[in-house]
Amino acid sequence: MLDTAYRLARRRIAELALALSADQFAIPVPATPGWTVHDLLTHLVGGAADITNGRLDVAGSDQWTELHVRERRTRSIDELLAEWHRVGPTVETSLTNPTFTGPNLAADAICHEADLHEALGLDRVDREHWQPFLDTMMRLMHRRSQGSTAMVIHDENDRQWHCGAGEPTLLLRADGYELLRGAYSRRSRRQIAAWDWTPAPPPHIVEHFGHFGPRDDDQPIPNTVA
């Protein structure tokens, strides 16, 4: 599943990139650490190249992602996509585990594809592409919240997840895409607290909702696909 998810995300992102103007490549991506659209693409390509070349000693760190951007900042979009096309299949062969249990480049691509859509003011990515990752992020949240306030989470399709231990004392009803973005630390404390909670969530629930830590800057929310 992960290899297919990565391959399809890579193709969608490449197709999107080929349709962008020079001005659009310079647009800041609010969810990322000061990157432009072009910088984000260099990270996606650089991560795939490092998997292929075995440069993994600092994988996942800020230093690692900064290298991707610095090394490819002057490359054209055609050069970036050619490199990604060359190294992408090796990444796919590394994603043989049928389930997503932690950080990997398929999850990274799904997250950054949404980052791009939000930065460019595009509609959200189709649900079929991100739904499996929402299910996994909710399972990871359940693991993180053991010993914390228990809650039940419902999305708009009435899918349900129980997080925490014991009888739930919180109910959250939220759009599935927003749940995923919040779990990816792509929504601010204020945005998460404004969801449909019963009763209002204690601060520690909002603080720890995002897998990669809390954020204070509100993020752009895309339109739903018609």
Side-chain angles (χ1 to χ4, degrees), residues 9-208:
R10 178 167 61 86
R11 290 176 180 173
R12 292 191 303 272
I13 294 168
E15 183 178 355
L16 172 62
L18 288 171
L20 298 180
S21 67
D23 287 343
Q24 286 174 307
F25 282 118
I27 290 174
V29 180
T32 63
W35 292 347
T36 63
V37 169
H38 185 276
D39 292 338
L40 192 155
L41 290 167
T42 66
H43 159 58
L44 288 168
V45 176
D50 283 354
I51 291 290
T52 300
N53 299 325
R55 189 176 72 173
L56 302 173
D57 52 322
V58 292
S61 67
D62 290 344
Q63 177 186 351
W64 192 59
T65 57
E66 287 166 5
L67 281 172
H68 302 157
V69 177
R70 186 168 67 248
E71 292 171 346
R72 294 169 175 81
R73 182 160 274 151
T74 61
R75 295 188 190 177
S76 70
I77 187 59
D78 288 339
E79 290 171 322
L80 289 173
L81 294 182
E83 182 180 13
W84 206 8
H85 179 74
R86 186 172 66 253
V87 299
T90 301
V91 175
E92 293 166 25
T93 63
S94 74
L95 296 171
T96 55
N97 191 323
T99 59
F100 163 25
T101 58
N104 61 71
L105 289 195
D108 193 54
I110 292 295
C111 179
H112 287 317
E113 181 182 19
D115 291 344
L116 287 171
H117 276 242
E118 292 178 7
L120 292 164
L122 304 176
D123 289 343
R124 65 173 60 172
V125 180
D126 289 343
R127 189 183 191 106
E128 64 181 295
H129 302 309
W130 51 260
Q131 178 67 59
F133 295 87
L134 171 60
D135 292 329
T136 297
M137 293 305 288
M138 292 297 101
R139 288 197 297 271
L140 294 177
M141 185 177 299
H142 173 69
R143 294 180 195 172
R144 293 201 319 274
S145 60
Q146 293 300 306
S148 181
T149 304
M151 60 181 169
V152 174
I153 301 173
H154 292 263
D155 71 3
E156 76 279 18
N157 293 335
D158 211 31
R159 297 176 73 95
Q160 179 176 308
W161 300 272
H162 184 156
C163 297
E167 287 297 316
T169 59
L170 274 176
L171 172 65
L172 170 60
R173 294 188 180 276
D175 176 85
Y177 177 85
E178 287 301 295
L179 287 172
L180 178 67
R181 298 299 282 161
Y184 269 128
S185 296
R186 260 51 184 182
R187 293 294 179 261
S188 69
R189 292 178 175 94
R190 190 200 66 80
Q191 288 174 309
I192 292 171
W195 291 343
D196 183 7
W197 296 88
T198 306
H204 74 273
I205 291 292
V206 174
E207 187 79 8
H208 298 291

